[in-house]
Amino acid sequence: EDMIKKLQITKDNMINLQNEVRGTLRIGVSSNFAQYKLPKILKQFSTKFPNVQFNINTGWSTDILNLLNSATVQLGIVRGNYEWYGKKSLLHKEKLCLISKKEIDMVNLPKLPLINYKTDSSLKALINGWWHDKYNEPPFIMMETDRLETCKEMVKNDLGIAIVPQICLQPSDNLQIYELSYKAGEPVYRYTWLMYNQDSLKLSTVNQFIDFINNNTDIM
């Protein structure tokens, strides 16, 4: 396996010597970011650098960190706060929101049916931290779904409420949206980071992608 990796790195470096921006960009991306934000970013980057191919891995942020640590990917887009000893820059921050079909009174939240979805440990921790800051009783969990989009569809059909990151919300959802804040009044933020090793910066493809994504935060 190490031999294959060494060959891959040699190949990347040789392509890199030819000055033009070409080669394969290997990126690990957190699932929600991959679904809601990445397609637009890749489309615009491709228009600018047509000779760059992409090899994209998506998954939980913990998986992406493993891919970064093993150098399987050159860049990682990770959501939540994880220890990383390489380089990292903040790409995006968004609020955590409560969604509901009808208007609700936040005071009654523990009595309302909550729909859960499988997600990253860091998002779970963020939601739980906020809940314990505001309420003494546990949530009334009515349903467990396998993914965020399924959960959102259940809420659209008035089967319960949910706590979701703002990234997944569209105006066309027609939902009541309540931005969450802690008891002290501070909003609850979810952070998205761009992470990479100093080593990867030797490649012009990686450099160009980092520049591109840092200078086009408006597409997020």
Side-chain angles (χ1 to χ4, degrees):
E1 203 208 339
D2 281 354
M3 193 64 209
I4 293 172
K5 216 161 263 178
K6 281 196 182 99
L7 278 169
Q8 180 70 59
I9 290 165
T10 309
K11 192 174 144 201
D12 288 342
N13 288 330
M14 281 176 75
I15 291 172
N16 196 48
L17 293 173
Q18 301 161 355
N19 279 335
E20 61 176 319
V21 185
R22 63 179 310 141
T24 300
L25 205 49
R26 296 194 303 282
I27 313 175
V29 189
S30 137
S31 301
N32 282 344
F33 194 89
Q35 177 166 358
Y36 300 107
K37 301 288 181 190
L38 191 67
K40 207 171 174 183
I41 294 167
L42 294 186
K43 184 176 190 297
Q44 294 198 11
F45 185 80
S46 290
T47 309
K48 202 171 172 188
F49 301 104
N51 294 323
V52 176
Q53 276 82 45
F54 301 102
N55 181 331
I56 309 284
N57 280 280
T58 65
W60 299 136
S61 289
T62 39
D63 301 335
I64 305 307
L65 272 178
N66 292 335
L67 294 174
L68 267 172
N69 281 320
S70 65
T72 308
V73 296
Q74 298 151 334
L75 289 161
I77 294 177
V78 173
R79 286 163 65 73
N81 297 328
Y82 292 95
E83 284 291 322
W84 170 245
Y85 300 106
K87 300 264 175 205
K88 74 183 220 178
S89 63
L90 183 63
L91 266 194
H92 182 65
K93 76 171 184 180
E94 84 233 43
K95 291 179 176 153
L96 208 56
C97 299
L98 182 122
I99 54 171
S100 167
K101 186 69 185 159
K102 301 193 190 83
E103 278 188 40
I104 59 156
D105 182 351
M106 294 294 272
V107 178
N108 297 332
L109 211 54
K111 309 239 177 325
L112 300 177
L114 182 74
I115 301 169
N116 256 350
Y117 50 94
K118 283 199 180 73
T119 186
D120 226 293
S121 54
S122 69
L123 181 55
K124 269 212 170 75
L126 193 64
I127 294 170
N128 291 341
W130 172 79
W131 187 280
H132 291 304
D133 179 63
K134 298 276 274 203
Y135 303 101
N136 297 325
E137 45 194 311
F140 161 41
I141 295 164
M142 174 188 161
M143 199 184 296
E144 298 276 354
T145 61
D146 65 332
R147 46 196 284 276
L148 182 49
E149 273 305 306
T150 311
C151 166
K152 218 171 86 176
E153 288 305 316
M154 299 293 180
V155 177
K156 284 185 193 174
N157 285 286
D158 204 15
L159 294 166
I161 56 168
I163 296 169
V164 302
Q166 213 168 16
I167 196 172
C168 73
L169 300 175
Q170 315 293 337
S172 60
D173 292 334
N174 287 325
L175 290 167
Q176 302 292 327
I177 297 169
Y178 302 85
E179 295 180 355
L180 304 185
S181 51
Y182 296 105
K183 226 186 291 183
E186 187 57 32
V188 188
Y189 285 116
R190 177 98 168 124
Y191 296 94
T192 301
W193 301 91
L194 180 64
M195 297 180 175
Y196 48 94
N197 277 307
Q198 185 70 41
D199 253 12
S200 299
L201 292 178
K202 289 183 192 139
L203 303 172
S204 61
T205 45
V206 172
N207 265 317
Q208 291 293 354
F209 190 79
I210 292 169
D211 277 358
F212 177 81
I213 206 166
N214 284 332
N215 293 324
N216 288 280
T217 44
D218 53 315
I219 51 183
M220 291 178 260

